[in-house]
Amino acid sequence: MNESTDPTSLVLWGGFALAFVFGAVAHKANYCTMGAISDVVNMGHWGRMRMWLLTLAVAIIGTQLLHAGGQIDLARTIYQRPTLPWLSLLLGGTLFGIGMTLAGGCVNKNLIRLGGGSVRSLVVLAFMAIAAYMTLKGLFGQWRAAWLDPVSIDLAGLGMSDQSLASLLVRAGAVPAGPAVLGTALALGGALLVFVLADRRFRGNTVQVLAALVLGLLVVSAWYLSGHLGHGENPETLETVFFATNSRTLESMSFVAPTAYSLELLMLWTDKSLRVTFGIATVLGVIAGSLAYALASRRFAWDGFASFADLRNQLAGAVLMGFGGVTAMGCTVGQGMSGLSTLSIGSLIAVAGIVAGAAATMKCMLWREG
Amino acid sequence: MNHDKELDASGLACPLPIVKTKKALGAMTPGQVLRVVATDPGSVADMAAFAEQTGNPLLAQSTQDKKFVFFLKKA
């Protein structure tokens, strides 16, 4: 196998390229999940929420078509495991939602801000990565494994092979197995499209519409890259593997654990068992894409903390995002786009927690301002 | 531009500038003008959307020394 077809290089450079576009487009369109929730909660404005939902609709339809066409196997993703750790997903999501509101944006938003020159976001991401790593392998991880993850539902015992919404509907007898499952998924994506595009003002916002379409397609492309192009026989072990992913299965965009793994790689660089992975490449890609857009549009500007209160809030938010993001198995992108594109029940729980945590924190901020 | 109240949201990240603006306007009487100073680049789009959505007209906005200045009229 020559270098140009090496699947590891393809996954890494492909992941970097997809994330580069992701970072540039998200910067250009001011894409921000926390901002979308804030717009709805604080002013009843649904513009950015519609952008998120359009991204989601495209991601769901594209991902489900890839799965139905046999190009990828969503049942092998971390989002579809037959055990549903509902407490971890709900609590982790809620803490992530609180954290991203205190930190002025989720992990993805802070990566984009970092590309735009925000030293504040660099500090937030560093603390977030430490907390995330502690939740993966450290003290927080011990708490998570001992007290949260065991509170779960064994879906296999209920006759479900995975935690997809389709499996639940089939199990409940709502739809028959087979093509009807794809039909249900497409109907859900279609319903989202109708809701989003019913608003004339949103349809007229070309930047937001195009950005949402591109971001949704990037999530689908990342699944195809790691789940199809990056899936094959390892010439060294002769095992069929997913090349260059931390989870050793197919992945799409997700930024909490990959940022922690980026920090790990930097700190343990001489440990030859550690390598650059798809997730690390996407973290770097988002920063680079955002930086390129900031420089091209002359929007690059250094930014720091405004006060001690600002520093305190942002660091608290960073730690909550790190713990919550790993516990919920994803962030606003990892669960809010990639996870939901698989129509996972767990992703629905995690995202409900994120939205509830963010909205409650915003209401609390408004109350405290009084 | 003459104004009745001033809000300094410098250094605050989203959503705090909007949260503070909403609260400040809530304590004002119709016709009064609020001057808001922010440094978050996202506040430019946020404040325009806030004005449109809540019906409190955005009378003017400008950039001064890397700070964004907004004048909102309480509806």
Side-chain angles (χ1 to χ4, degrees):
Chain A
M1 189 176 288
N2 63 46
E3 196 171 330
S4 64
T5 56
D6 170 28
T8 297
S9 298
L10 180 64
V11 168
L12 295 181
W13 285 108
F16 180 85
L18 293 176
F20 185 93
V21 178
F22 194 105
V25 169
H27 194 150
K28 161 75 178 172
N30 192 25
Y31 191 91
C32 177
T33 312
M34 191 276 291
I37 298 169
S38 170
D39 290 352
V40 173
V41 170
N42 290 311
M43 47 175 132
H45 187 252
W46 282 74
R48 282 196 287 185
M49 184 60 81
R50 282 191 163 83
M51 186 162 50
W52 181 19
L53 294 177
L54 179 55
T55 301
L56 193 53
V58 173
I60 289 173
I61 292 170
T63 303
Q64 295 297 323
L65 285 173
L66 278 181
H67 177 68
Q71 300 298 304
I72 58 174
D73 182 4
L74 292 177
R76 300 181 72 168
T77 66
I78 62 165
Y79 308 109
Q80 297 284 7
R81 290 173 181 160
T83 301
L84 182 66
W86 63 270
L87 183 59
S88 292
L89 293 164
L90 186 60
L91 182 65
T94 304
L95 293 178
F96 187 91
I98 295 169
M100 75 175 185
T101 308
L102 292 176
C106 63
V107 177
N108 176 49
K109 184 67 180 180
N110 275 290
L111 290 170
I112 291 166
R113 278 214 193 95
L114 174 57
S118 176
V119 179
R120 173 171 61 179
S121 286
L122 177 64
V123 177
V124 167
L125 287 166
F127 272 77
M128 188 287 300
I130 292 169
Y133 197 77
M134 287 174 68
T135 314
L136 284 166
K137 301 181 180 180
L139 177 64
F140 294 168
Q142 204 169 14
W143 298 347
R144 172 177 61 81
W147 299 326
L148 298 177
D149 289 350
V151 185
S152 60
I153 299 171
D154 177 20
L155 298 174
L158 298 174
M160 292 170 61
S161 59
D162 56 48
Q163 57 173 288
S164 67
L165 194 58
S167 291
L168 179 66
L169 292 174
V170 170
R171 178 70 183 82
V175 297
V181 171
L182 175 63
T184 305
L186 295 181
L188 274 170
L192 273 179
L193 277 179
V194 170
F195 171 75
V196 165
L197 297 176
D199 186 82
R200 186 187 302 168
R201 201 166 43 166
F202 180 73
R203 288 200 308 272
N205 191 328
T206 312
V207 171
Q208 286 192 335
V209 171
L210 286 179
L213 293 174
V214 170
L215 295 174
L217 287 173
L218 288 171
V219 170
V220 179
S221 303
W223 281 127
Y224 185 73
L225 177 66
S226 76
H228 184 82
L229 300 177
H231 185 221
E233 186 179 271
N234 185 333
E236 293 173 10
T237 64
L238 302 183
E239 289 177 311
T240 303
V241 298
F242 291 94
F243 289 93
T245 59
N246 282 109
S247 62
R248 297 179 183 175
T249 186
L250 65 166
E251 296 177 1
S252 186
M253 299 292 176
S254 187
F255 299 119
V256 175
T259 305
Y261 288 127
S262 301
L263 181 68
E264 178 191 47
L265 182 65
L266 288 173
M267 294 182 68
L268 304 175
W269 187 262
T270 54
D271 181 346
K272 295 304 178 192
S273 69
L274 298 177
R275 293 179 181 177
V276 178
T277 58
F278 170 80
I280 294 172
T282 57
V283 166
L284 297 174
V286 169
I287 297 170
S290 174
L291 172 64
Y293 177 76
L295 292 175
S297 62
R298 299 187 177 183
R299 291 185 183 182
F300 185 91
W302 296 110
D303 175 34
F305 291 98
S307 62
F308 171 73
D310 190 31
L311 173 68
R312 180 194 60 205
N313 287 343
Q314 304 250 346
L315 293 190
V319 173
L320 288 173
M321 280 199 293
F323 176 77
V326 170
T327 302
M329 296 169 61
C331 53
T332 52
V333 176
Q335 286 285 23
M337 286 190 200
S338 302
L340 284 180
S341 75
T342 72
L343 291 178
S344 152
I345 298 167
S347 298
L348 289 169
I349 295 171
V351 172
I354 291 172
V355 173
T361 308
M362 287 165 198
K363 289 290 185 188
C364 186
M365 281 177 170
L366 193 59
W367 173 74
R368 283 183 63 186
E369 288 303 316
Chain B
M1 182 178 285
N2 291 332
H3 54 278
D4 302 285
K5 191 172 180 179
E6 178 146 349
L7 169 64
D8 185 4
S10 300
L12 299 177
C14 174
L16 278 171
I18 287 295
V19 168
K20 285 179 175 284
T21 300
K22 184 178 181 180
K23 201 72 188 181
L25 281 170
M28 295 169 69
T29 55
Q32 287 189 313
V33 174
L34 173 68
R35 180 177 187 264
V36 183
V37 180
T39 51
D40 181 8
S43 63
V44 176
D46 288 351
M47 212 60 80
F50 176 80
E52 184 185 349
Q53 202 65 24
T54 59
N56 297 296
L58 179 60
L59 301 177
Q61 70 176 70
S62 60
T63 306
Q64 299 171 6
D65 298 328
K66 295 185 178 179
K67 292 191 173 186
F68 306 104
V69 182
F70 309 92
F71 290 91
L72 287 151
K73 187 176 181 180
K74 166 78 173 182

